[in-house]
Amino acid sequence: MSQGYCEKKSEGETCNEAENMEHLKRSSRGIVLDTIRKTERVARIDIANETGMSAATVTGISAELLSQGLIEEVAPDASPSDSRRGRPRVGLKIRGEAHLVAGVKIADRSAVVALLDFEGKLVGEFSLPLPHLKMSAQECAGFIRELMEAAMATNGRHLSDLSGIGLGMAGVIDAPRGFVHWSPSLTTRNVPLRQLLADTFAAAGPCPPIFLDNDVNLVALAEQWFGLGRNVSDFIVVTIENGVGMGIVINDNIYRGTRGCGAEFGHTKVQLDGALCRCGQRGCLEAYVADYALLREANISGEAFQDPNAEKQVQELFYKAKAGDVTARTIFQRAGKMFALGLANIVNIFDPKLIILSGERMQFDYLYAGEVIENMKNSVVQIDVSPPEVRIHKWGDLMWAKGAAVFAMEGVTERALRELSKNAR
Amino acid sequence: MSQGYCEKKSEGETCNEAENMEHLKRSSRGIVLDTIRKTERVARIDIANETGMSAATVTGISAELLSQGLIEEVAPDASPSDSRRGRPRVGLKIRGEAHLVAGVKIADRSAVVALLDFEGKLVGEFSLPLPHLKMSAQECAGFIRELMEAAMATNGRHLSDLSGIGLGMAGVIDAPRGFVHWSPSLTTRNVPLRQLLADTFAAAGPCPPIFLDNDVNLVALAEQWFGLGRNVSDFIVVTIENGVGMGIVINDNIYRGTRGCGAEFGHTKVQLDGALCRCGQRGCLEAYVADYALLREANISGEAFQDPNAEKQVQELFYKAKAGDVTARTIFQRAGKMFALGLANIVNIFDPKLIILSGERMQFDYLYAGEVIENMKNSVVQIDVSPPEVRIHKWGDLMWAKGAAVFAMEGVTERALRELSKNAR
């Protein structure tokens, strides 16, 4: 039983047909814009062919998008392949200067900022250490304002140049409400962080819209825009760092669950009454594969580390395992088995096309080696069709920040289209 | 990045704008039909209010649906509430005689048939024991033809009266292709069962379209149409019988995964290298909570049963546990703990609005008691918003068959709307 195609309104409200038609036209504008974005440089006629819209509709919509400065014309490509097909055609592309957006990733010890133009090109970056590993909500908001002011100044810009700021952090976050149920970076629960940030920025001048989400959802977005998830409608991103995260893309959209706390892969249980997790429960996948879990085991076996930094210690442990140290190997081996089990559960439930193991620590390939993937494949329901492909994608905090910027870009684009739609009425 | 709104075609093909508009009109017809179905009896103006379409559009579409005999007018309701609001209005309702559909559930030992009219009213039922617990593909097709012929004769009808047949069976089934990767009811894998059925029925005369799916997906459909899932856009159905099954509804649609083998809840692993499962792997949830798993434990403890039938034995074991037998209790207790763990994993991943524990065996409430649900709630990520509601819905094989009939009904409706759309061109 499908729903009406008018936008969802609060109960009791209905929307009229004119609004429905305008909604469809807005979708058409969005489809044209997406097509241009995906193709990078495309002639109007090819947009028509690609989308099934008439040439006239595409021309009309292009004119609107051009007049708003969201796209621009580019000189005909005089390459032989074009000229062979007749007169070279004027191309359309996204106009990079149309909007500037920022993405912020709050990592364990630092925050990283990426600045993207409307084409998605990286035009600036910046980072600062966190004042504390855990911040009060107020301190966090103040820090992000300072961070952004410094990031803009360093890149010769001002806050007022920004059309939107995307913010990704670990934790359970209700993205539509901009609400943090819980985050390891904050000292308190239930923080209406988006509102708090808006208030904090407003004190310094006009505040660009702020978009807030769980950081792994934003990695999934980055994969969709720039990475291995391009043109894949259904895929899953798993990250292992200090914790274990997951982003789910179904039908080209991030799946967030009804309370905004789906995709908590790290807290799926792999052992009844198992190892204690940071969350206070037992047997969570994270309690077997996250940094602290590996170090807990290393401590028990009396491992002595050179470096006081946990991340470095895990690295040391990893090199020991690689060099043949039996205890270190045992530690990584169990982690690998549990990780394979958790992954298999995801495949058995979602049956995705692709799984992307993503993040900075992918150099610890002991955990993600062929053996683990093989284990996973042996633990999924066996049918005579290949199990989903697993691909490994190493990248650093900057890519998380780029994902946050993309989230802001989507919000900014949606607003721009709504604006166009309002003017058209 | 959203897709164009033309229907997906094979690569390279595109569709033109006229087709797009016709697709939208077809959707409008579908929305009107769904609204009438949901409301049971509704005036045109209320459809307009509900959907946001203009009164003229609703009148036009109603006329088409009336002329095709899919809906009918009903006399004004002269109830006081109506007359108070002025002249009583003519209502629209689904025309029950428009189509007759059948649903078949292949259960462990028998097959059950439900006949529904186009209103979704049960107008006949029938069942036959299976010739063997496992059938060859050919035997299965032959049996289903005999079953359907007998079901129709018993209800004073003919096969030719049917607009569609829905078939639900356990296993890994690619519904869009009508292909059985594997089923416990069949002796062979990789069976193109829909084609085989079509050929088998065709030998006896014209064959109604056949729709094939995993049986738990069809329970989810039945919950959506008749049960606890009405008006819930995102929910999960879990069944425990001889195996453990799951159906996932996201955004009002059954989620099937990319290879047609998602939602394999019973084979998610709850224990590394754990108990042996019928599937040949270890540690599957099913290997702890399904009938055979409970009886395996009972056998080890030397339990003596009165009845050779496995289902009855589980019942006996259950009553022993209820009566305080320590071993029987221990068996159900571990099953309950594992079940809670598996359920918690689903909640941590999907964060659904509602979980429905559905099926015939819900009388074994030891497994589904408050304690289990409490355990589950304690094992999900803790935020200050209530975890999803868990509701228990006891019903028998007939409801599974009704779900299968609903699946056929959806297919038949889609075809009727496509037909209307073709005539309108």
Side-chain angles (χ1 to χ4, degrees), chain A residues 2-3 14-17 34 49 52 54 57 181 189-190 252 255 258-264 267-269 281 345 348-351 378-380 382 384-387, chain B residues 2-3 14-17 34 49 52 54 57 181 189-190 252 255 258-261 263-264 267-269 281 345-346 348-351 378-380 382 384-387:
Chain A
S2 58
Q3 298 176 322
T14 57
C15 61
N16 64 35
E17 196 159 21
D34 279 351
N49 287 339
S54 71
T57 304
H181 289 293
R189 297 170 81 94
N190 302 317
D252 293 306
Y255 179 80
T258 59
R259 298 176 300 157
C261 70
E264 284 292 339
H267 300 287
T268 60
K269 306 291 178 283
Q281 297 181 1
N345 285 350
N348 278 330
I349 289 170
F350 270 110
D351 186 24
N378 290 334
S379 300
V380 302
Q382 301 295 310
D384 293 337
V385 178
S386 307
Chain B
S2 58
Q3 299 176 324
T14 56
C15 61
N16 63 34
E17 195 159 22
D34 279 350
N49 288 339
S54 71
T57 304
H181 289 293
R189 298 171 81 94
N190 302 317
D252 293 306
Y255 178 80
T258 57
R259 297 175 301 157
C261 68
E264 284 292 340
H267 300 286
T268 59
K269 306 292 178 283
Q281 298 180 3
N345 285 350
I346 298 299
N348 278 330
I349 289 171
F350 271 109
D351 185 26
N378 290 334
S379 300
V380 303
Q382 301 296 309
D384 294 336
V385 177
S386 307

Coordinates of all heavy atoms in Angstrom, one line a residue, chain A residues 2-3 14-17 34 49 52 54 57 181 189-190 252 255 258-264 267-269 281 345 348-351 378-380 382 384-387, chain B residues 2-3 14-17 34 49 52 54 57 181 189-190 252 255 258-261 263-264 267-269 281 345-346 348-351 378-380 382 384-387:
Chain A
S2 N 1.0 1.8 -1.1 CA 1.9 3.0 -1.3 C 1.3 4.2 -0.7 O 0.1 4.3 -0.5 CB 2.3 3.2 -2.7 OG 1.1 3.4 -3.5
Q3 N 2.1 5.2 -0.4 CA 1.6 6.5 0.2 C 1.4 7.4 -0.9 O 1.8 7.3 -2.1 CB 2.7 7.1 1.1 CG 3.0 6.2 2.2 CD 4.1 6.8 3.0 OE1 5.1 7.4 2.5 NE2 4.1 6.7 4.3
T14 N -3.1 18.2 4.8 CA -3.0 17.6 3.5 C -2.3 18.6 2.6 O -2.1 19.7 3.0 CB -4.4 17.3 2.9 OG1 -5.2 18.5 2.9 CG2 -5.1 16.2 3.7
C15 N -2.0 18.2 1.4 CA -1.4 19.2 0.5 C -2.2 19.1 -0.8 O -2.7 18.1 -1.2 CB 0.1 18.9 0.3 SG 0.5 17.4 -0.4
N16 N -2.2 20.2 -1.5 CA -3.0 20.3 -2.7 C -2.3 19.9 -3.9 O -1.0 19.7 -3.9 CB -3.7 21.7 -2.8 CG -2.6 22.7 -3.1 OD1 -1.6 22.4 -3.7 ND2 -2.8 23.9 -2.5
E17 N -3.0 19.7 -5.0 CA -2.4 19.2 -6.2 C -1.3 20.1 -6.8 O -0.3 19.6 -7.3 CB -3.5 18.9 -7.2 CG -3.0 18.0 -8.3 CD -4.2 17.4 -9.0 OE1 -5.3 17.9 -8.9 OE2 -4.0 16.4 -9.7
D34 N 21.4 16.5 -10.4 CA 22.1 15.2 -10.0 C 22.8 14.7 -11.3 O 23.9 14.2 -11.2 CB 21.2 14.2 -9.5 CG 20.9 14.4 -8.0 OD1 21.5 15.3 -7.4 OD2 20.0 13.7 -7.5
N49 N 18.3 12.3 -22.7 CA 18.4 10.8 -23.0 C 18.5 10.0 -21.7 O 17.9 9.0 -21.5 CB 19.6 10.5 -23.9 CG 19.3 11.0 -25.3 OD1 18.2 11.2 -25.7 ND2 20.4 11.2 -26.1
G52 N 15.0 10.6 -19.5 CA 13.7 10.4 -20.1 C 12.8 11.6 -20.2 O 11.7 11.6 -20.5
S54 N 11.8 15.4 -21.7 CA 11.8 16.0 -23.0 C 13.0 17.0 -23.1 O 13.4 17.6 -22.1 CB 10.5 16.6 -23.4 OG 10.4 17.8 -22.6
T57 N 11.8 20.3 -21.6 CA 11.9 20.3 -20.2 C 13.3 20.6 -19.7 O 13.5 21.4 -18.8 CB 11.3 19.0 -19.6 OG1 10.0 18.8 -20.1 CG2 11.2 19.1 -18.0
H181 N 21.8 11.8 21.1 CA 21.4 11.0 22.2 C 22.6 10.7 23.1 O 22.5 10.8 24.3 CB 20.8 9.7 21.7 CG 19.5 9.8 21.0 ND1 18.4 10.1 21.6 CD2 19.2 9.6 19.7 CE1 17.4 10.1 20.8 NE2 17.8 9.8 19.6
R189 N 24.5 13.4 28.0 CA 23.6 12.8 27.0 C 22.6 13.8 26.6 O 22.4 14.9 27.2 CB 22.9 11.6 27.6 CG 23.9 10.5 28.0 CD 23.2 9.4 28.8 NE 22.5 8.5 27.9 CZ 23.0 7.3 27.5 NH1 24.2 7.0 27.8 NH2 22.3 6.5 26.7
N190 N 21.8 13.5 25.5 CA 20.6 14.3 25.1 C 20.9 15.7 24.9 O 20.3 16.6 25.5 CB 19.5 14.1 26.2 CG 19.1 12.7 26.4 OD1 19.0 11.9 25.5 ND2 19.0 12.3 27.7
D252 N 19.9 4.1 -2.7 CA 20.6 5.4 -2.8 C 20.5 6.3 -1.6 O 20.9 7.5 -1.7 CB 20.1 6.2 -4.1 CG 20.5 5.4 -5.4 OD1 21.7 5.2 -5.5 OD2 19.7 5.2 -6.2
Y255 N 20.2 4.9 5.4 CA 19.2 4.3 6.3 C 19.5 4.6 7.7 O 20.6 4.2 8.2 CB 19.0 2.8 6.1 CG 17.9 2.3 7.0 CD1 16.6 2.4 6.6 CD2 18.2 1.7 8.2 CE1 15.6 1.9 7.5 CE2 17.3 1.2 9.0 CZ 15.9 1.3 8.6 OH 14.9 0.8 9.5
T258 N 14.3 4.3 12.9 CA 13.2 5.2 13.3 C 13.6 6.2 14.4 O 13.0 7.2 14.6 CB 11.9 4.4 13.6 OG1 12.3 3.6 14.7 CG2 11.5 3.6 12.5
R259 N 14.5 5.8 15.3 CA 14.9 6.7 16.4 C 16.2 7.3 16.1 O 16.8 8.0 17.0 CB 14.9 5.9 17.7 CG 13.6 5.3 18.1 CD 13.8 4.4 19.4 NE 14.8 3.4 19.2 CZ 15.5 2.8 20.1 NH1 15.4 3.1 21.4 NH2 16.4 1.8 19.8
G260 N 16.7 7.1 14.9 CA 18.0 7.7 14.6 C 19.1 6.9 15.2 O 20.3 7.3 15.3
C261 N 18.9 5.6 15.6 CA 20.0 4.8 16.2 C 20.0 3.5 15.6 O 20.3 2.5 16.2 CB 19.9 4.8 17.7 SG 18.5 3.9 18.3
G262 N 19.8 3.4 14.2 CA 20.1 2.1 13.5 C 21.6 2.0 13.2 O 22.4 2.9 13.6
A263 N 21.9 0.9 12.6 CA 23.3 0.7 12.1 C 24.3 0.7 13.3 O 25.5 1.1 13.1 CB 23.7 1.8 11.1
E264 N 23.9 0.3 14.5 CA 24.8 0.2 15.6 C 25.6 -1.1 15.6 O 25.5 -1.9 16.5 CB 24.1 0.4 16.9 CG 23.8 1.9 17.2 CD 25.0 2.8 17.4 OE1 26.0 2.2 17.8 OE2 24.9 4.0 17.2
H267 N 27.7 -2.6 18.4 CA 27.0 -3.1 19.6 C 26.1 -4.2 19.3 O 25.3 -4.6 20.2 CB 26.3 -1.9 20.3 CG 27.3 -0.9 20.7 ND1 28.2 -1.0 21.8 CD2 27.6 0.3 20.2 CE1 29.0 0.0 21.9 NE2 28.7 0.9 20.9
T268 N 26.2 -4.8 18.1 CA 25.6 -6.1 18.0 C 26.4 -7.1 18.8 O 27.6 -7.0 18.9 CB 25.5 -6.5 16.5 OG1 26.9 -6.6 16.0 CG2 24.7 -5.5 15.6
K269 N 25.7 -8.1 19.3 CA 26.3 -9.0 20.2 C 26.8 -10.2 19.5 O 26.1 -10.8 18.7 CB 25.3 -9.5 21.3 CG 24.6 -8.4 22.1 CD 25.6 -7.6 23.0 CE 24.9 -6.5 23.7 NZ 24.7 -5.3 22.8
Q281 N 27.5 -2.9 28.3 CA 26.9 -4.3 28.1 C 28.0 -5.3 27.8 O 29.2 -4.9 27.8 CB 26.0 -4.1 26.9 CG 24.8 -3.2 27.2 CD 23.8 -3.1 26.1 OE1 23.9 -3.7 25.1 NE2 22.8 -2.2 26.3
N345 N 26.7 -11.7 9.8 CA 25.3 -11.4 10.2 C 24.7 -10.3 9.4 O 23.5 -10.3 9.1 CB 25.3 -11.0 11.7 CG 25.5 -12.3 12.6 OD1 25.5 -13.4 12.1 ND2 25.8 -12.0 13.9
N348 N 23.7 -11.7 6.1 CA 22.5 -12.5 6.2 C 21.3 -11.7 6.4 O 20.2 -12.1 6.0 CB 22.7 -13.5 7.4 CG 23.5 -14.7 7.0 OD1 23.5 -15.1 5.8 ND2 24.2 -15.3 7.9
I349 N 21.4 -10.5 6.9 CA 20.2 -9.7 7.1 C 20.0 -8.8 5.9 O 18.9 -8.7 5.4 CB 20.4 -8.8 8.4 CG1 20.2 -9.8 9.6 CG2 19.3 -7.7 8.5 CD1 20.6 -9.1 10.9
F350 N 21.0 -8.1 5.4 CA 20.8 -7.1 4.3 C 21.0 -7.6 2.9 O 20.5 -7.1 2.0 CB 21.8 -6.0 4.5 CG 21.3 -4.9 5.4 CD1 21.8 -4.7 6.7 CD2 20.2 -4.1 5.0 CE1 21.3 -3.7 7.5 CE2 19.7 -3.1 5.8 CZ 20.2 -2.9 7.0
D351 N 21.9 -8.6 2.8 CA 22.2 -9.1 1.4 C 22.5 -7.9 0.5 O 21.9 -7.6 -0.5 CB 21.0 -9.8 0.9 CG 21.2 -10.5 -0.5 OD1 22.4 -10.8 -0.8 OD2 20.3 -10.7 -1.2
N378 N 32.1 -17.9 4.4 CA 31.7 -19.3 4.8 C 30.6 -19.3 5.8 O 30.0 -20.3 6.1 CB 32.9 -20.0 5.3 CG 33.9 -20.4 4.2 OD1 33.5 -20.5 3.1 ND2 35.1 -20.5 4.6
S379 N 30.3 -18.1 6.4 CA 29.3 -18.0 7.4 C 28.0 -17.4 7.0 O 27.1 -17.2 7.7 CB 29.8 -17.2 8.6 OG 31.0 -17.8 9.1
V380 N 27.9 -17.1 5.7 CA 26.6 -16.5 5.2 C 25.8 -17.7 4.6 O 26.4 -18.8 4.2 CB 26.8 -15.4 4.2 CG1 27.6 -14.3 4.8 CG2 27.4 -15.9 2.9
Q382 N 24.4 -20.1 2.2 CA 25.1 -20.5 0.9 C 24.0 -20.7 -0.2 O 23.2 -21.6 -0.1 CB 25.8 -21.8 1.1 CG 26.9 -21.7 2.2 CD 28.0 -20.8 1.9 OE1 28.6 -20.8 0.8 NE2 28.4 -19.8 2.7
D384 N 23.9 -20.5 -4.8 CA 24.8 -20.5 -5.9 C 24.9 -19.2 -6.6 O 24.9 -19.1 -7.9 CB 24.3 -21.6 -6.9 CG 24.5 -23.0 -6.2 OD1 25.3 -23.1 -5.3 OD2 23.8 -24.0 -6.6
V385 N 24.9 -18.1 -5.9 CA 25.2 -16.8 -6.4 C 26.3 -16.2 -5.5 O 26.2 -16.4 -4.3 CB 23.9 -15.9 -6.4 CG1 24.3 -14.5 -6.9 CG2 22.8 -16.5 -7.1
S386 N 27.3 -15.6 -6.0 CA 28.4 -15.1 -5.2 C 27.9 -14.2 -4.1 O 27.0 -13.4 -4.3 CB 29.4 -14.3 -6.0 OG 29.8 -15.1 -7.1
P387 N 28.5 -14.3 -2.9 CA 28.2 -13.4 -1.8 C 28.7 -12.0 -2.2 O 29.4 -11.8 -3.2 CB 29.0 -13.9 -0.6 CG 30.0 -14.8 -1.2 CD 29.5 -15.3 -2.5
Chain B
S2 N 19.6 11.1 -6.3 CA 18.4 10.3 -6.6 C 18.4 9.9 -8.1 O 19.1 10.5 -8.9 CB 17.1 11.2 -6.3 OG 17.2 12.3 -7.1
Q3 N 17.6 8.9 -8.4 CA 17.5 8.4 -9.7 C 16.4 9.2 -10.5 O 15.5 9.8 -9.9 CB 17.2 6.9 -9.7 CG 18.2 6.2 -9.0 CD 17.8 4.7 -9.0 OE1 16.7 4.4 -8.8 NE2 18.8 3.8 -9.1
T14 N 16.2 4.0 -22.5 CA 15.6 5.1 -21.7 C 14.1 5.1 -21.9 O 13.6 4.4 -22.7 CB 16.2 6.5 -22.2 OG1 15.9 6.6 -23.6 CG2 17.7 6.5 -22.0
C15 N 13.4 6.0 -21.2 CA 12.0 6.0 -21.4 C 11.7 7.5 -21.6 O 12.3 8.4 -21.2 CB 11.2 5.4 -20.3 SG 11.5 6.2 -18.7
N16 N 10.6 7.8 -22.4 CA 10.4 9.2 -22.7 C 9.4 9.8 -21.7 O 8.8 9.1 -20.9 CB 9.8 9.3 -24.2 CG 8.5 8.5 -24.3 OD1 7.7 8.5 -23.4 ND2 8.3 7.9 -25.4
E17 N 9.2 11.1 -21.9 CA 8.5 11.8 -20.9 C 7.0 11.4 -20.9 O 6.4 11.4 -19.8 CB 8.6 13.3 -21.2 CG 8.1 14.2 -20.1 CD 8.7 15.6 -20.2 OE1 9.0 16.0 -21.3 OE2 8.7 16.2 -19.1
D34 N -5.5 2.4 -3.4 CA -5.0 2.1 -2.1 C -5.8 2.8 -1.0 O -6.1 2.3 0.0 CB -3.6 2.5 -1.9 CG -2.6 1.5 -2.5 OD1 -3.1 0.4 -2.9 OD2 -1.4 1.8 -2.6
N49 N -9.2 14.9 -0.2 CA -8.6 15.5 1.0 C -7.4 14.7 1.5 O -6.4 15.2 1.9 CB -9.6 15.6 2.2 CG -10.6 16.7 1.9 OD1 -10.4 17.6 1.1 ND2 -11.8 16.6 2.5
G52 N -4.5 14.8 -1.4 CA -4.0 16.1 -1.9 C -4.3 16.2 -3.4 O -3.9 17.2 -4.1
S54 N -6.8 16.9 -6.8 CA -8.0 17.7 -6.9 C -9.2 16.8 -7.0 O -9.1 15.6 -7.4 CB -7.9 18.5 -8.2 OG -8.0 17.7 -9.3
T57 N -9.5 15.3 -10.5 CA -8.7 14.2 -10.7 C -9.2 12.9 -10.1 O -9.3 11.9 -10.8 CB -7.3 14.4 -10.2 OG1 -6.8 15.6 -10.7 CG2 -6.3 13.3 -10.5
H181 N 16.4 -20.5 -4.7 CA 17.8 -20.8 -4.5 C 17.9 -22.1 -3.7 O 18.7 -23.0 -4.0 CB 18.6 -19.7 -3.8 CG 18.8 -18.5 -4.5 ND1 19.6 -18.4 -5.6 CD2 18.3 -17.2 -4.4 CE1 19.6 -17.2 -6.1 NE2 18.8 -16.5 -5.4
R189 N 18.4 -27.8 -5.4 CA 18.6 -26.3 -5.3 C 18.3 -25.7 -6.7 O 18.2 -26.4 -7.7 CB 20.0 -26.1 -4.9 CG 20.4 -26.6 -3.5 CD 21.9 -26.5 -3.2 NE 22.3 -25.1 -2.8 CZ 22.4 -24.7 -1.6 NH1 22.1 -25.6 -0.6 NH2 22.7 -23.5 -1.3
N190 N 18.3 -24.4 -6.7 CA 18.3 -23.7 -8.0 C 17.1 -24.1 -8.9 O 17.3 -24.5 -10.0 CB 19.6 -23.8 -8.7 CG 20.8 -23.3 -7.9 OD1 20.7 -22.3 -7.3 ND2 21.8 -24.1 -7.9
D252 N 7.1 1.1 3.9 CA 6.0 0.4 3.4 C 6.2 -0.7 2.4 O 5.3 -1.2 1.8 CB 5.0 1.4 2.7 CG 4.4 2.4 3.7 OD1 3.8 1.9 4.7 OD2 4.5 3.6 3.6
Y255 N 11.6 -5.5 2.2 CA 13.0 -5.4 1.8 C 13.5 -6.8 1.6 O 13.4 -7.7 2.5 CB 13.8 -4.7 2.9 CG 15.2 -4.6 2.6 CD1 15.7 -3.6 1.7 CD2 16.2 -5.6 3.0 CE1 17.0 -3.6 1.3 CE2 17.5 -5.5 2.7 CZ 17.9 -4.5 1.8 OH 19.2 -4.4 1.4
T258 N 19.7 -7.8 -2.2 CA 20.0 -7.7 -3.7 C 20.0 -9.0 -4.4 O 19.8 -9.1 -5.6 CB 21.4 -7.0 -3.9 OG1 22.4 -7.8 -3.2 CG2 21.4 -5.6 -3.4
R259 N 20.3 -10.1 -3.6 CA 20.2 -11.4 -4.3 C 18.9 -12.2 -3.9 O 18.8 -13.4 -4.2 CB 21.4 -12.3 -3.9 CG 22.8 -11.7 -4.3 CD 23.9 -12.5 -3.7 NE 23.8 -12.6 -2.3 CZ 24.4 -13.5 -1.5 NH1 25.1 -14.5 -2.1 NH2 24.3 -13.5 -0.2
G260 N 18.0 -11.5 -3.2 CA 16.8 -12.1 -2.8 C 17.0 -13.0 -1.6 O 16.2 -13.9 -1.2
C261 N 18.2 -12.8 -0.9 CA 18.4 -13.6 0.3 C 18.7 -12.8 1.5 O 19.6 -13.2 2.3 CB 19.4 -14.7 0.1 SG 21.0 -14.2 -0.2
A263 N 17.3 -10.9 5.1 CA 16.4 -11.2 6.2 C 16.5 -12.7 6.7 O 15.6 -13.3 7.1 CB 14.9 -10.9 5.8
E264 N 17.8 -13.2 6.5 CA 18.0 -14.6 7.0 C 18.4 -14.6 8.5 O 19.5 -15.0 8.9 CB 19.1 -15.2 6.1 CG 18.6 -15.7 4.8 CD 17.6 -16.8 4.8 OE1 17.6 -17.5 5.8 OE2 16.8 -17.0 3.9
H267 N 19.8 -17.6 10.4 CA 21.2 -18.0 10.2 C 22.2 -16.9 10.6 O 23.4 -17.0 10.2 CB 21.4 -18.5 8.8 CG 20.5 -19.7 8.5 ND1 20.7 -20.9 9.0 CD2 19.3 -19.7 7.9 CE1 19.7 -21.7 8.7 NE2 18.8 -21.0 8.0
T268 N 21.7 -15.9 11.3 CA 22.7 -15.0 11.9 C 23.3 -15.8 13.0 O 22.7 -16.6 13.6 CB 22.0 -13.7 12.5 OG1 21.1 -14.0 13.4 CG2 21.4 -12.9 11.3
K269 N 24.6 -15.5 13.2 CA 25.4 -16.3 14.2 C 25.3 -15.6 15.6 O 25.5 -14.4 15.7 CB 26.8 -16.4 13.8 CG 27.0 -16.9 12.4 CD 26.6 -18.4 12.3 CE 26.8 -18.9 10.8 NZ 25.7 -18.5 9.9
Q281 N 26.2 -25.0 9.0 CA 27.2 -24.1 9.7 C 27.0 -24.2 11.2 O 26.1 -24.9 11.6 CB 26.9 -22.7 9.1 CG 27.2 -22.5 7.6 CD 26.9 -21.1 7.1 OE1 26.6 -20.2 7.8 NE2 27.1 -21.0 5.8
N345 N 20.2 -7.7 18.2 CA 21.0 -7.4 17.1 C 20.2 -6.7 16.0 O 20.7 -5.8 15.4 CB 21.8 -8.6 16.6 CG 22.9 -9.1 17.5 OD1 23.3 -8.3 18.4 ND2 23.5 -10.2 17.3
I346 N 19.0 -7.3 15.8 CA 18.2 -6.7 14.8 C 17.8 -5.2 15.1 O 17.8 -4.3 14.3 CB 16.8 -7.5 14.6 CG1 17.2 -8.9 14.2 CG2 15.9 -6.8 13.7 CD1 17.8 -9.0 12.9
N348 N 19.5 -3.2 17.0 CA 20.7 -2.4 16.9 C 21.0 -2.0 15.5 O 21.6 -1.0 15.2 CB 21.9 -3.1 17.6 CG 21.9 -2.9 19.1 OD1 21.5 -1.9 19.6 ND2 22.5 -3.9 19.8
I349 N 20.6 -2.9 14.6 CA 20.9 -2.6 13.1 C 19.8 -1.8 12.5 O 20.1 -0.8 11.8 CB 21.2 -3.9 12.4 CG1 22.5 -4.5 12.8 CG2 21.2 -3.7 10.9 CD1 22.8 -5.9 12.3
F350 N 18.5 -2.2 12.7 CA 17.4 -1.5 12.0 C 16.7 -0.4 12.8 O 16.1 0.4 12.1 CB 16.4 -2.6 11.7 CG 16.6 -3.2 10.4 CD1 17.0 -4.6 10.3 CD2 16.4 -2.5 9.2 CE1 17.2 -5.2 9.1 CE2 16.7 -3.1 8.0 CZ 17.1 -4.5 8.0
D351 N 16.7 -0.5 14.1 CA 16.0 0.5 14.8 C 14.6 0.6 14.3 O 14.2 1.7 13.9 CB 16.8 1.8 14.8 CG 16.1 2.9 15.7 OD1 15.5 2.5 16.6 OD2 16.3 4.1 15.3
N378 N 17.5 -4.8 27.3 CA 18.7 -4.5 28.0 C 20.0 -4.6 27.1 O 21.0 -4.2 27.5 CB 18.9 -5.4 29.2 CG 17.8 -5.0 30.3 OD1 17.4 -3.9 30.3 ND2 17.5 -6.0 31.1
S379 N 19.8 -5.3 26.0 CA 20.9 -5.6 25.1 C 21.0 -4.6 23.9 O 21.9 -4.8 23.0 CB 20.9 -7.0 24.6 OG 21.0 -7.9 25.7
V380 N 20.1 -3.7 23.8 CA 20.2 -2.7 22.7 C 20.9 -1.4 23.2 O 21.0 -1.2 24.4 CB 18.8 -2.4 22.1 CG1 18.1 -3.7 21.6 CG2 17.9 -1.6 23.0
Q382 N 21.5 1.9 24.6 CA 20.6 2.6 25.5 C 20.6 4.1 25.2 O 21.6 4.8 25.3 CB 21.1 2.4 26.9 CG 21.1 0.9 27.3 CD 19.8 0.3 27.3 OE1 18.8 0.8 27.9 NE2 19.6 -0.9 26.7
D384 N 17.7 7.6 25.6 CA 16.6 8.0 26.4 C 15.3 8.1 25.6 O 14.5 9.1 25.8 CB 16.9 9.3 27.2 CG 18.0 9.1 28.2 OD1 18.2 8.0 28.7 OD2 18.7 10.1 28.6
V385 N 15.1 7.2 24.7 CA 13.9 7.1 23.9 C 13.6 5.6 24.0 O 14.5 4.7 23.9 CB 14.1 7.5 22.4 CG1 12.9 7.3 21.6 CG2 14.6 8.9 22.3
S386 N 12.3 5.2 24.2 CA 12.0 3.8 24.4 C 12.4 3.0 23.2 O 12.3 3.4 22.0 CB 10.5 3.7 24.5 OG 10.0 4.5 25.5
P387 N 12.9 1.7 23.5 CA 13.2 0.8 22.4 C 11.9 0.4 21.7 O 10.8 0.7 22.1 CB 13.8 -0.4 23.1 CG 13.4 -0.3 24.5 CD 13.1 1.2 24.8

